[in-house]
């Protein structure tokens, strides 16, 4: 009798455990699919806003580009390339589209957590307010190239930023260094990593006449939106891994010499002004590599919950108004 009772109890426990596991199924695939849909909608909305002139910094980028070409016509090819970021043809927007396509293939990720983390980051990165802030970097590149004739946006002056951060002047385009949309870190025959611009952006090297080396830039870089605010959202897992690899290689070289080497993202630089609420609540930039590699939840407080997004269209309209006001 006791043996039969034990078998019945064991069967009931197994059944209860099975039902419990069934009721707590993995909802990550569903969330990933939902975020893919929402991100596609956001990118479409962002495209329309860029075309209709509803993104403040995109409009400034066009205006600044036109004015700088009049001031310095010899820089027209480079300026025209920078101006592309005011459209859906620019490197920032096309990078988001490419990442979204990659995010639909689970084979590109180590696990579902990393895939979900990436698609949530993309959903945030496509937010027009965040994207408007991201465009402050190319706008300020042109502002600096104008030698003070055009004002910076969402950032303190070049001189104030250099003083506040004890930063070195790495020349025109320095706000874009480190951003994988514009170039990448390459290693020369001596084992030194340097910044290699993509395509027309290589004109920056011709202007400054010397390469930007990773070890020197890491400790002496100035403020930029990408490196100090937006890196968490605007960096794919593969890009984060490449950045981490460059850091590890450089650190190993310094260790062999008995010297200390800190990541360029170990601390944020001072310089941001009047950023959107979305940017102000973004995870710290030094969490990008860890989160994108492992799907860590360090930025969970900033994550959206699509179940609360009862009306994506209404959310987009609210964002449109805030970007047009330049908040």
């Amino acid at each position: 009798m006791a043996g039969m009772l034990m078998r019945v109890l064991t069967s009931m426990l197994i059944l209860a455990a099975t039902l419990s596991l069934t009721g707590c199924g993995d909802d990550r695939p569903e969330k990933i699919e939902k975020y893919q849909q929402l991100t596609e909608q956001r990118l479409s909305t962002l495209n329309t806003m860029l075309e209709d002139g509803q993104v403040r910094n995109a409009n400034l980028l066009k205006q600044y580009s036109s004015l700088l070409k009049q001031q310095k016509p010899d820089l027209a090819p480079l300026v025209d390339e920078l101006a592309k970021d005011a459209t859906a043809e620019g490197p920032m927007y096309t990078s988001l589209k490419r990442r979204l396509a990659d995010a639909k293939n689970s084979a590109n990720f180590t696990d579902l957590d990393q895939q979900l983390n990436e698609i949530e980051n993309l959903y945030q990165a496509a937010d027009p307010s965040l994207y408007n802030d991201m465009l402050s970097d190319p706008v300020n590149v042109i502002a600096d190239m104008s030698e003070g004739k055009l004002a910076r946006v969402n950032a303190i002056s070049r001189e104030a930023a250099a003083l506040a951060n004890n930063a070195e002047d790495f020349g025109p385009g320095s706000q874009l260094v480190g951003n994988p949309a514009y170039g990448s870190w390459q290693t020369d025959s001596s084992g030194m990593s340097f910044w290699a611009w993509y395509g027309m952006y290589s004109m920056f090297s011709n202007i400054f006449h010397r390469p930007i080396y990773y070890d020197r830039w890491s400790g002496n870089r100035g403020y930029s939106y990408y490196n100090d605010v937006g890196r968490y959202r605007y960096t794919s897992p593969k890009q984060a891994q490449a950045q981490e690899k460059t850091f590890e290689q450089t650190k190993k070289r310094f260790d062999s010499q008995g010297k200390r080497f800190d990541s360029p993202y170990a601390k944020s630089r001072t310089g941001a002004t009047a950023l959107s609420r979305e940017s102000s609540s973004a995870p710290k930039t030094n969490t990008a590599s860890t989160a994108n590699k492992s799907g860590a939840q360090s930025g969970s407080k900033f994550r959206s919950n699509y179940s609360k997004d009862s009306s994506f269209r209404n959310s987009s309209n609210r964002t449109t108004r805030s970007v047009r006001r330049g908040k």
Side-chain angles (χ1 to χ4, degrees), residues 35 42 120 123-124 233 300 302-307 309:
Y35 267 111
R42 268 199 170 174
E120 287 181 330
Y123 175 71
Q124 296 294 344
R233 298 302 180 195
S300 58
F302 188 56
R303 289 184 171 204
S304 291
N305 185 342
Y306 71 81
S307 64
D309 225 353

Side-chain angles (χ1 to χ4, degrees), residues 16 18 24 59 79 106-107 132 162 180 194 198 213-214 216 265 278:
T18 302
C24 299
N59 293 338
V79 174
S106 60
N132 179 67
F194 65 96
Y198 294 145
Y213 284 98
Y214 181 78
R216 190 175 185 88
Y265 307 110
E278 289 81 359

Side-chain angles (χ1 to χ4, degrees), residues 134-151:
M134 184 68 240
L135 291 182
S136 64
D137 278 348
V139 169
N140 290 333
V141 167
I142 292 182
D144 291 348
M145 291 169 69
S146 75
E147 299 174 354
K149 291 183 173 60
L150 300 171

Side-chain angles (χ1 to χ4, degrees), residues 195-227:
W195 184 251
W197 296 99
Y198 294 145
M200 191 63 68
Y201 299 110
S202 61
M203 284 187 68
F204 283 124
S205 297
N206 299 333
I207 295 172
F208 203 52
H209 302 300
R210 66 182 176 90
I212 298 175
Y213 284 98
Y214 181 78
D215 54 354
R216 190 175 185 88
W217 174 83
S218 296
N220 301 282
R221 70 175 181 84
Y223 165 82
S224 74
Y225 179 84
Y226 171 80
N227 288 309

